Amino acid sequence: MIDFDVLTDLAFREGADRIGVGVVVRDTSGRILMIRRAAHDVLPGLWEYPGGGREDGEPVPAGAARELAEETGLTGLTLEYARHLDFTNQRGLQVRQFVFTAVVPEGTPVVLSGDHDDHQWAPSDRLPTTSDGQRAVIEWLTGRLAIPGWRPVGGYLTTIARPSAYGSFLVTDPHGRVLGMRSTINPEVWNFPGGNVEHGESPFTTALREAEEELGLDLAAENPEIIARRRLVAVIHTQADADYPVPVAGYVFDGGTLTAEQQARIRLDPAEHTEFRFETAHDWRSRMTSAHYQRLRQVLRAHRCGVPLYLERPAPDGDDFEGVLVFVTDRAGRLLMHLREDRPGMAWPGYWTPIGGWREADESARESAVREVREEAGVEITGLRPLPGPHHDLGLPLTRVLHAVWDGPDSDLRLGDEGLAVRMVPLAEVLDLKVPPYMQHYLPLLTDAADPPSKTTS
């Protein structure tokens, strides 16, 4: 749907004094309806297409239909917006005329108003005396219509997918935990501050307005330096589904960090949200639906990489992961294990696990795996292959599980910035450690580690 309020505001900002409307009516043979101004009217004898001024408060399309009916008696036509025409009227005022077009059968009767005394159906290349502006509009329109498949923008827009859009903010606390608000309508849903774009708004201004309505905080005043940058974190295209039958384009911006004092001033709108909380990405998993958790992980990945990402939901084939788990074995039948720190808000605190971590930017699963092993253990792996498994049931949603080979000396192992220790552990002794339950599933798949397949994964 064309937002003529936005186009009207733009016209006034660009110097227009008045808004006009016009309709280029064509018959099925392509001729143009031209009407002649009466002798008592301004510019007597001038031929023109139907049109006039928009009345105060009148929607632009309604004004075009009214002028067409008053001047020609034609009603009930489908009007398609084509373009605008700027001109100076007899009073020296700047007018922006929004021009529509319509088609009628040959021989359609025309009933003129008292301001016009004649009409004709003229071929576009043999127009009667008219203004240069109207002639240019008609020539432009008929030239475009001669292009196979071309249609005026007002009609073309009815044939394409028109997604709704929203703008929202990613807001964190000083510990890096993410703000979520529980929906009043659907308590299973936790939202970022934000909402749907309204007429005349940009996604960013929408996010600011919605955040103030939902949190009671003006983020532009609370975090002026961050908000002034208008940093786009991610654009997320969500395909239509049975619950929301149109596609949605979402824009997520960096909302900065809220201190404890700022958090204490949050006042929710109870019509929209019943509570708010800051949680780690791991802890949000137990509170969010799988779709919302995937969105969170995608947004956090974009936020980490510092470059806006274009993301899709559902994810394209091969791109439906946000983390990797890497089982690295050597020919001695040992598995590289990593002792995790024991702190709240993380997965498997204090457990021994294979090397793993979250995806960065647009990495493939293989690239993520190689980087994580290098960062956490200081070694380079080869022979990557996927390992099958019911990842969600094993507590590994959005995770790609891989097997890799490393044959260097233990002295090459170097603990990275995360965890407490790394070491090679004989497969037969792995279950003697404090390990996650998913190890019971994957250990039997590693028995061929001494002679790994050559198949690789991307």
Side-chain angles (χ1 to χ4, degrees):
M1 179 178 180
I2 297 174
D3 193 334
F4 283 100
D5 290 339
V6 171
L7 298 185
T8 298
D9 290 342
L10 176 63
F12 289 132
R13 289 199 304 272
E14 293 181 346
D17 300 306
R18 294 189 59 191
I19 299 299
V21 291
V23 185
V24 178
V25 181
R26 301 129 44 211
D27 67 12
T28 47
S29 66
R31 297 177 302 174
I32 308 298
L33 174 61
M34 301 294 287
I35 55 180
R36 188 176 66 185
R37 288 178 180 257
H40 63 270
D41 198 14
V42 294
L43 301 176
L46 182 70
W47 291 85
E48 62 187 2
Y49 52 71
R54 184 193 65 162
E55 296 180 353
D56 290 342
E58 184 179 42
V60 169
R66 175 186 52 76
E67 285 288 344
L68 179 64
E70 290 175 355
E71 295 185 349
T72 68
L74 298 174
T75 61
L77 302 185
T78 298
L79 304 184
E80 294 183 342
Y81 175 64
R83 57 169 287 174
H84 73 261
L85 168 65
D86 290 333
F87 63 91
T88 303
N89 69 8
Q90 296 80 13
R91 299 177 182 176
L93 299 176
Q94 298 300 310
V95 178
R96 174 157 294 180
Q97 182 187 74
F98 293 105
V99 182
F100 296 77
T101 186
V103 178
V104 298
E106 289 188 50
T108 296
V110 173
V111 179
L112 297 175
S113 70
D115 292 333
H116 296 88
D117 60 10
D118 197 6
H119 80 280
Q120 63 173 288
W121 294 92
S124 61
D125 59 350
R126 295 196 298 276
L127 295 175
T129 303
T130 187
S131 69
D132 291 342
Q134 290 214 354
R135 183 180 299 276
V137 168
I138 293 171
E139 290 177 350
W140 174 89
L141 178 61
T142 54
R144 292 295 179 91
L145 288 167
I147 301 172
W150 187 86
R151 188 173 177 183
V153 62
Y156 171 71
L157 289 176
T158 66
T159 69
I160 60 176
R162 290 173 290 168
S164 64
Y166 67 83
S168 63
F169 282 116
L170 175 66
V171 178
T172 59
D173 71 1
H175 303 289
R177 296 178 299 184
V178 178
L179 171 63
M181 304 177 299
R182 186 193 289 271
S183 168
T184 299
I185 297 174
N186 186 352
E188 293 183 354
V189 173
W190 292 80
N191 294 315
F192 296 153
N196 290 326
V197 175
E198 296 183 356
H199 291 305
E201 287 186 329
S202 70
F204 186 81
T205 57
T206 294
L208 273 179
R209 174 183 56 77
E210 288 282 350
E212 186 167 6
E213 292 174 359
E214 295 173 347
L215 297 174
L217 297 179
D218 178 1
L219 289 183
E222 302 291 340
N223 293 326
E225 293 185 4
I226 293 292
I227 300 302
R229 294 188 182 114
R230 298 184 175 222
R231 179 189 165 196
L232 177 65
V233 175
V235 177
I236 306 175
H237 181 274
T238 303
Q239 191 53 273
D241 59 24
D243 293 327
Y244 204 79
V246 296
V248 179
Y251 299 78
V252 183
F253 301 92
D254 187 355
T257 297
L258 292 182
T259 65
E261 184 276 329
Q262 289 171 316
Q263 294 173 40
R265 291 190 280 107
I266 291 177
R267 297 294 182 268
L268 297 180
D269 177 358
E272 295 200 50
H273 299 101
T274 58
E275 64 173 303
F276 73 90
R277 62 193 313 128
F278 289 83
E279 299 282 9
T280 66
H282 172 72
D283 286 343
W284 272 125
R285 183 186 135 210
S286 64
R287 298 181 180 277
M288 288 184 167
T289 64
S290 58
H292 280 77
Y293 182 63
Q294 182 185 29
R295 181 187 70 163
L296 172 65
R297 294 286 359 169
Q298 288 180 310
V299 169
L300 290 179
R301 169 159 59 96
H303 189 261
R304 284 194 307 272
C305 78
V307 177
L309 295 183
Y310 167 71
L311 306 165
E312 293 184 358
R313 297 168 55 207
D317 291 344
D319 199 45
D320 57 346
F321 75 99
E322 290 300 321
V324 292
L325 188 67
V326 193
F327 288 81
V328 181
T329 60
D330 63 11
R331 295 189 183 277
R334 298 183 302 169
L335 177 64
L336 179 59
M337 297 294 286
H338 182 231
L339 178 58
R340 297 175 66 80
E341 297 165 329
D342 190 357
R343 55 184 172 84
M346 62 183 297
W348 309 114
Y351 279 70
W352 285 90
T353 71
I355 299 294
W358 293 110
R359 183 184 186 185
E360 298 291 343
D362 57 357
E363 287 178 329
S364 66
R366 182 187 183 282
E367 291 167 339
S368 293
V370 170
R371 176 185 51 77
E372 285 290 342
V373 174
R374 182 188 303 122
E375 291 177 352
E376 297 185 12
V379 298
E380 300 295 328
I381 54 177
T382 60
L384 283 135
R385 64 178 179 120
L387 288 178
H391 299 161
H392 185 76
D393 294 342
L394 296 173
L396 300 170
L398 304 178
T399 300
R400 192 71 57 81
V401 182
L402 306 168
H403 172 237
V405 174
W406 175 66
D407 282 321
D410 289 9
S411 59
D412 284 351
L413 294 175
R414 296 286 186 273
L415 178 66
D417 293 336
E418 300 178 6
L420 302 175
V422 288
R423 66 185 176 94
M424 300 300 296
V425 179
L427 289 172
E429 299 175 12
V430 169
L431 295 183
D432 295 335
L433 303 174
K434 183 181 180 182
V435 296
Y438 61 72
M439 298 299 294
Q440 298 278 0
H441 170 81
Y442 285 107
L443 281 176
L445 303 180
L446 303 176
T447 56
D448 59 353
D451 185 22
S454 59
K455 180 181 177 181
T456 62
T457 186
S458 60

